Amino acid sequence: MVGGEHNTVLRIAGSVQKHVRKYNALYLMLLPGVVIVFIFHYIPMYGIIIAFQDYQPLYGFSGSPLVGLRWFRAMMTMPDSGQIFYNTVYIAVFKIIFGQIVAIIFALLLNEIGIKPYKRTIQTLTYLPHFLSWVMIGGIFIDLLSTKGIVNHFLGFFGVESIFFLGNNTWFRPALIVTDIWKGFGWGAILYLAALSGIDPNLYEAAVIDGASRPRRLWHITLPGIIPTIVLLATLSLRNVLNAGFEQVFILYNPAVYRTGDIIDTFVYRVGLLDAQYSLATAVGLLKSVIGLVLIVISYRIAYRFANYRIF
Amino acid sequence: MNKKLIIILMIVLLGSLSVYATGGKEPLEPAAVTDEGPVDYYMKFDPVIKLTQPMTADDGKTYPEGDDVNSNVFTRWCEKEVGIKWEAKYTYSTSDESKQKLSLAMASNDLPDLLFIQSPDIAKLAKAGLIIPIKELQDKYQSPIGKYMLEENDRAMKGHFYDATSYNGQAYAVPWSADTVVPNNSWYRKDILDELGLDVPETIADLDEAFQAYKAINPEGVGLILDKSLVDGMNMIMDAYGAYPKRWVMDSDGKLAYGSIQPGAKEALAKLRDWYAKGYLDREFVVKDVNKAEEVWKAGNALVLEGAWWKSWGTNITLYQNVPTMELAGGSYLLGPDGNQGPMIELFNKQGFVISSQCEHPEAIIILFNHYLDSAFRGHKDLQDKFDFIYPYEQLRTPINLDEVKKLEAEGKVAFKKYDYEKPGPRNGSDADYFNTSISWSRQFGMLFNQRASQLTDQFLRIADAWEAGKIDELSQQDQISYTTMFRGIDTLRVTHFGIVRNGVAWRDQVHISGYNGPPTPTMISGDAYLKKIELETFANIILGESPLSAFDKFVEEWKRNGGDDITAEVNEWYSSMQ
């Protein structure tokens, strides 16, 4: 019995060894990345302990007293925690949904363009804003969306009165979502465009021969072709349900729109950095990560069950 | 394989638990203060004693051959003249690293002898018994010059000088004191007021009139500059109504109360709301941060700006470049409808150097401090007659070429001139920018800003007097250079500043000082984020007209209920412990 188990272990060990030796170049290339992730993401996890302490920088990790779940309780009882959570989810969900829809539609449209250089130029121009930081674009949007800015000027042609987008609780979140989509749809479309180019052109030819019109081809060939990509990206974006985009909100928000615009991260920023309450901020961050993890696991299961799609 | 794994895990687990073993040490007995008859305030320690402090590995300055930041003219001076050899308890190169090493030192109960820290940390260290109160040491070892300067500061701060660096009523550190009694100012566009035929507004009603007239000639213009942080621009109005937002006022029962919830605040908000509706405030002030909000002022389209006096060093210079014909006038504190007037400032000198309870020669640090102050004030004529200086008064010997200085200033560079004092000391005059000493001022141990209560103000006064009498040439060289380079030599800015300084001096005795100066209280720590948020939100929405004025009352209730009452109680507790 013991001998048998021993043999099996050896055999598995042997085949693992063989596998690694066969692909050793690939594993070697993987190694630096793994090391970096380990050093910068796993080792610092020790710092999570701050969430359970009354952390004082003066006393450090080992000198600060443990206080258990105090900060988690404090989080729940804060008067505006419900509102902040709601804002975060509201903004994030709409950003994800509409962001993906716009990206997909744009990818589909762009895919129909035959003239290669034209297509490439448009693609480059649209994904450039993704690389600009909100610190820069934020200032531009503050001007564009101001009561005397271009947008309101344009609305004036239709007889619509000036809307103070960034200072108004009704319009602030829509403004956030729309500007974020503007910034990201070009980049988001890239993966879809890649998937679209991966569809077998023979299918299209066969469809044309069979007399299928453009809409029909779209519905029967194109869309099914990119469904796996859509599912993959939707799944991956679920973890962002609590990341409503700190940089953007921080640049654009102001006291007049705290009620609808304050998200978990801006709250943590004020409390954690400005008030130096590291423990509370860490606790909130930890909660966010745990929820994100749960969501990923759930969405992974869903993707597997309904689209027979394995990510790993 | 299983067994090995378990053993390894156990070792790792035990190893990480041992980190906790060092916490919670007993505070040690403070080292005894030696008692040996009359004290030489500038004594030299013989044999040389060793003191430790955190040292930076590199302060970014270029030193002469063979010297570096830890071994230079100063360290040699210190050893030779005072008999102190400084050693690094630990070295750091970034401020993060210095914080980490400091906390390590704390955890292992091994502080450097001399440390420079902020107010909340001072309270913590004092509570743990790791630092010693300084009063006894000062009484015995502080030189007469030192005592005089500290008393001067205490009087200027109306007895609140040591508030932020005290614990349980005892002072643990000498706070920084660089010209702390400088409340915010306001600047008015004098040229516009002249055009309107108006004087500089003195009351809220005057402002009303001025804004109305201004709007009539410049419909696009803005009366008062306000930004999203609701500080500059709002304070001058609020203070006139007797509400001092974010500061602590004394109420009729002799207790401290929070300024933002005072009834005066509601009246001020009503006024601001009215002004916003009439377009006297920027329609979009709430989305603009300070820099963006000031753009209207810099373009010349606003009537009044409130801010710290050094805004003339940036904002107003830009205004001058855009509108060369502009003229400014400094405003005084507005008289409110209830007869309220006068600024309230917050203490900002909340850091200082502390002495470890393990230090074997705490008096050495006071002696070093004496050397600092003596050499720093040697140029102060008014002290020369009062005290015996061991650093004699000297005029500068190397002639300074004023034209060269102006040229460098125009290029945005600072003019450094080498100067050798007959008797070099740790501080040589207050203007290290112009008179580079052979001793790097990064070796100041946190004693850099221990100045007299109104050093900068006094300099401005001297310059102002000389200018008005037409006797600029009779100023000391140091003052002359300051005058020449002040605000890039733009006359209207200089003249306005003289007025502002004189106004500040006239009000000096009546300046209120915010009542609470201690470290954040427990409820402040846990509840302040929410309280600050609703304060800003409520005020902004009332001014914008999005919320009715009654929202203020709701805010006050909300503030009290969600920790405000607790904070008030804690603040008053601190206050009574300081009596």
Side-chain angles (χ1 to χ4, degrees):
Chain A
M1 271 280 272
V2 171
E5 279 172 8
H6 193 58
N7 274 338
T8 321
V9 169
L10 272 184
R11 240 185 296 135
I12 296 177
S15 68
V16 165
Q17 267 195 329
K18 244 201 324 196
H19 175 92
V20 169
R21 229 180 295 135
K22 180 176 174 192
Y23 294 106
N24 63 354
L26 296 176
Y27 279 107
L28 224 57
M29 286 197 279
L30 212 50
L31 195 61
V34 170
V35 169
I36 288 179
V37 167
F38 182 70
I39 294 180
F40 290 105
H41 291 97
Y42 280 88
I43 291 187
M45 276 197 194
Y46 179 68
I48 288 178
I49 201 151
I50 293 179
F52 302 99
Q53 291 178 322
D54 183 9
Y55 182 73
Q56 304 292 344
L58 206 55
Y59 298 125
F61 291 126
S62 47
S64 302
L66 283 169
V67 294
L69 297 176
R70 184 212 280 189
W71 301 113
F72 295 94
R73 255 177 278 134
M75 226 191 296
M76 301 305 167
T77 56
M78 256 181 208
D80 49 350
S81 56
Q83 182 68 38
I84 290 176
F85 189 77
Y86 176 77
N87 289 344
T88 310
V89 173
Y90 182 104
I91 294 173
V93 164
F94 280 112
K95 271 191 189 176
I96 293 172
I97 296 181
F98 289 122
Q100 291 308 302
I101 292 178
V102 171
I104 293 173
I105 295 179
F106 178 68
L108 289 171
L109 289 173
L110 204 59
N111 190 48
E112 296 294 323
I113 295 180
I115 311 167
K116 279 274 161 62
Y118 185 48
K119 187 177 174 182
R120 242 180 276 135
T121 319
I122 293 188
Q123 194 177 349
T124 309
L125 285 175
T126 50
Y127 73 56
L128 275 182
H130 169 84
F131 295 103
L132 301 173
S133 102
W134 272 109
V135 175
M136 221 174 82
I137 304 187
I140 296 176
F141 273 118
I142 291 179
D143 282 333
L144 283 179
L145 294 172
S146 83
T147 49
K148 302 201 187 97
I150 287 188
V151 176
N152 276 307
H153 194 67
F154 186 65
L155 287 176
F157 289 146
F158 298 97
V160 179
E161 233 186 76
S162 276
I163 302 176
F164 190 14
F165 289 101
L166 296 176
N168 187 320
N169 273 311
T170 323
W171 289 101
F172 184 66
R173 287 187 295 215
L176 279 179
I177 295 165
V178 169
T179 50
D180 189 57
I181 293 177
W182 172 85
K183 186 168 180 280
F185 79 89
W187 178 260
I190 290 181
L191 277 166
Y192 292 115
L193 281 167
L196 284 168
S197 63
I199 297 176
D200 188 354
N202 291 325
L203 290 172
Y204 285 116
E205 285 175 19
V208 166
I209 292 172
D210 283 346
S213 62
R214 255 188 209 267
R216 287 241 135 211
R217 291 203 298 269
L218 187 76
W219 183 255
H220 287 283
I221 302 176
T222 319
L223 278 180
I226 58 171
I227 288 262
T229 316
I230 295 180
V231 170
L232 171 64
L233 290 181
T235 304
L236 289 178
S237 62
L238 261 181
R239 72 181 162 88
N240 275 329
V241 142
L242 290 183
N243 280 339
F246 171 72
E247 212 187 330
Q248 179 198 24
V249 177
F250 179 68
I251 297 287
L252 296 176
Y253 89 154
N254 56 76
V257 295
Y258 275 164
R259 190 169 52 82
T260 52
D262 203 12
I263 58 173
I264 295 180
D265 286 329
T266 46
F267 165 77
V268 166
Y269 167 77
R270 289 197 308 272
V271 157
L273 247 51
L274 299 185
D275 289 351
Q277 284 196 68
Y278 304 114
S279 287
L280 180 55
T282 310
V284 174
L286 180 61
L287 193 64
K288 259 183 73 180
S289 301
V290 166
I291 294 181
L293 180 65
V294 167
L295 286 171
I296 287 192
V297 169
I298 292 178
S299 57
Y300 176 40
R301 291 279 159 85
I302 296 176
Y304 180 56
R305 178 79 59 83
F306 290 104
N308 202 32
Y309 197 84
R310 302 208 92 191
I311 296 172
F312 300 113
Chain B
M1 190 173 103
N2 267 349
K3 259 204 219 155
K4 262 203 216 157
L5 204 59
I6 293 177
I7 294 178
I8 293 176
L9 279 175
M10 293 284 286
I11 296 178
V12 169
L13 204 64
L14 285 170
S16 53
L17 282 179
S18 69
V19 180
Y20 283 90
T22 54
K25 276 251 181 88
E26 294 291 326
L28 293 182
E29 290 296 319
V33 173
T34 48
D35 202 54
E36 289 161 0
V39 167
D40 174 8
Y41 298 117
Y42 305 99
M43 68 169 100
K44 173 166 179 219
F45 288 81
D46 190 13
V48 168
I49 57 174
K50 290 207 178 96
L51 291 181
T52 60
Q53 53 149 338
M55 281 182 170
T56 174
D58 179 6
D59 66 349
K61 284 184 181 265
T62 357
Y63 287 86
E65 190 76 35
D67 281 352
D68 63 30
V69 66
N70 294 319
S71 160
N72 52 55
V73 183
F74 172 71
T75 55
R76 291 192 283 274
W77 169 86
C78 213
E79 198 173 330
K80 193 168 113 185
E81 294 292 324
V82 191
I84 299 177
K85 188 164 161 60
W86 285 103
E87 281 179 357
K89 190 64 163 189
Y90 53 79
T91 55
Y92 61 90
S93 35
T94 63
S95 81
D96 278 344
E97 202 187 329
S98 84
K99 283 190 201 140
Q100 276 168 25
K101 296 211 172 168
L102 175 57
S103 53
L104 272 174
M106 288 237 32
S108 40
N109 214 334
D110 193 18
L111 283 187
D113 291 320
L114 178 63
L115 199 53
F116 178 74
I117 50 180
Q118 311 279 330
S119 165
D121 294 337
I122 294 178
K124 284 190 207 111
L125 287 179
K127 186 167 172 183
L130 288 163
I131 56 177
I132 54 175
I134 53 172
K135 184 145 191 332
E136 226 184 279
L137 278 174
Q138 282 182 306
D139 287 342
K140 196 161 165 51
Y141 294 102
Q142 190 89 64
S143 66
I145 298 174
K147 286 193 176 128
Y148 178 79
M149 167 265 203
L150 293 174
E151 266 159 44
E152 204 181 49
N153 273 295
D154 203 23
R155 256 180 292 125
M157 296 309 284
K158 317 218 187 240
H160 290 280
F161 187 49
Y162 290 100
D163 274 6
T165 57
S166 299
Y167 175 75
N168 254 353
Q170 286 188 300
Y172 282 82
V174 179
W176 274 8
S177 49
D179 244 308
T180 49
V181 195
V182 185
N184 267 6
N185 318 289
S186 44
W187 290 272
Y188 292 87
R189 285 285 303 278
K190 185 157 189 310
D191 52 318
I192 297 180
L193 288 173
D194 287 340
E195 202 184 313
L196 297 171
L198 293 170
D199 288 324
V200 172
E202 284 176 14
T203 67
I204 298 282
D206 288 344
L207 261 189
D208 250 325
E209 211 191 307
F211 288 156
Q212 203 177 13
Y214 180 54
K215 266 310 221 191
I217 61 164
N218 185 356
E220 293 300 314
V222 166
L224 178 65
I225 300 285
L226 192 58
D227 63 85
K228 78 201 247 195
S229 67
L230 296 186
V231 175
D232 288 341
M234 187 161 99
N235 277 355
M236 67 188 259
I237 310 298
M238 283 268 176
D239 289 4
Y241 281 90
Y244 295 95
K246 303 196 186 84
R247 290 156 285 173
W248 291 85
V249 298
M250 198 62 89
D251 71 11
S252 44
D253 298 322
K255 292 216 169 288
L256 287 177
Y258 190 53
S260 306
I261 59 172
Q262 301 307 309
K266 189 173 181 187
E267 289 169 41
L269 284 174
K271 194 52 139 159
L272 286 165
R273 181 192 172 85
D274 184 42
W275 284 347
Y276 181 80
K278 292 192 184 140
Y280 300 162
L281 299 175
D282 190 341
R283 296 237 67 201
E284 311 212 337
F285 78 86
V286 79
V287 297
K288 297 187 178 180
D289 64 13
V290 151
N291 291 322
K292 227 173 155 69
E294 279 176 10
E295 274 168 27
V296 183
W297 169 264
K298 288 188 227 177
N301 280 324
L303 194 58
V304 55
L305 174 74
E306 184 193 359
W309 70 267
W310 38 259
K311 275 200 184 168
S312 274
W313 269 112
T315 309
N316 287 336
I317 291 183
T318 315
L319 170 62
Y320 176 74
Q321 286 164 349
N322 290 335
V323 188
T325 53
M326 73 99 181
E327 258 186 71
L328 291 179
S332 182
Y333 306 107
L334 294 168
L335 183 66
D338 297 325
N340 238 290
Q341 197 178 12
M344 176 184 284
I345 60 171
E346 267 207 76
L347 222 61
F348 65 73
N349 45 352
K350 296 186 178 178
Q351 59 263 60
F353 63 86
V354 294
I355 307 177
S356 156
S357 53
Q358 309 279 319
C359 180
E360 284 170 0
H361 293 274
E363 69 279 9
I365 293 173
I366 305 292
I367 304 293
L368 182 62
F369 195 33
N370 290 340
H371 276 278
Y372 262 92
L373 297 176
D374 192 313
S375 62
F377 299 147
R378 74 173 100 185
H380 291 225
K381 286 206 180 134
D382 64 321
L383 295 179
Q384 285 296 322
D385 307 321
K386 286 204 179 97
F387 301 100
D388 292 321
F389 278 75
I390 63 164
Y391 291 93
Y393 177 76
E394 307 174 55
Q395 262 291 27
L396 310 158
R397 286 193 279 175
T398 315
I400 307 291
N401 188 334
L402 279 177
D403 289 323
E404 198 188 315
V405 171
K406 274 193 223 175
K407 202 171 61 164
L408 284 170
E409 266 288 313
E411 291 168 18
K413 298 190 193 139
V414 176
F416 277 88
K417 290 280 179 192
K418 273 281 181 195
Y419 178 72
D420 292 311
Y421 278 92
E422 197 180 307
K423 187 175 169 75
R427 290 286 283 142
N428 297 307
S430 57
D431 237 345
D433 275 345
Y434 297 105
F435 308 116
N436 191 21
T437 68
S438 46
I439 298 163
S440 161
W441 55 267
S442 68
R443 296 275 79 217
Q444 303 290 331
F445 308 121
M447 296 179 186
L448 176 63
F449 288 108
N450 289 111
Q451 297 176 359
R452 298 181 63 193
S454 58
Q455 211 155 297
L456 200 53
T457 309
D458 285 343
Q459 186 187 49
F460 284 137
L461 280 176
R462 284 196 298 274
I463 298 176
D465 288 337
W467 182 81
E468 271 153 31
K471 294 194 179 149
I472 289 285
D473 304 323
E474 291 181 18
L475 286 172
S476 73
Q477 275 173 334
Q478 199 169 331
D479 288 349
Q480 271 192 54
I481 294 199
S482 280
Y483 166 74
T484 317
T485 56
M486 221 169 120
F487 310 129
R488 306 256 186 95
I490 300 171
D491 230 14
T492 178
L493 293 180
R494 273 197 290 226
V495 173
T496 312
H497 191 65
F498 295 151
I500 286 174
V501 169
R502 290 208 196 278
N503 184 54
V505 170
W507 276 93
R508 210 183 262 167
D509 293 327
Q510 291 135 0
V511 167
H512 309 287
I513 303 204
S514 174
Y516 183 67
N517 297 303
T521 68
T523 314
M524 272 188 199
I525 294 178
S526 58
D528 220 18
Y530 177 65
L531 295 178
K532 281 203 201 119
K533 175 176 159 187
I534 55 173
E535 183 179 326
L536 273 178
E537 195 181 340
T538 312
F539 284 19
N541 280 317
I542 291 180
I543 298 177
L544 288 174
E546 295 279 328
S547 301
L549 207 48
S550 53
F552 180 79
D553 303 313
K554 272 210 327 245
F555 155 68
V556 173
E557 253 176 64
E558 185 81 2
W559 187 90
K560 290 187 176 166
R561 212 162 20 111
N562 284 297
D565 277 340
D566 292 332
I567 292 180
T568 309
E570 284 162 4
V571 162
N572 278 297
E573 220 182 284
W574 171 89
Y575 188 70
S576 36
S577 81
M578 296 293 290
Q579 295 312 304

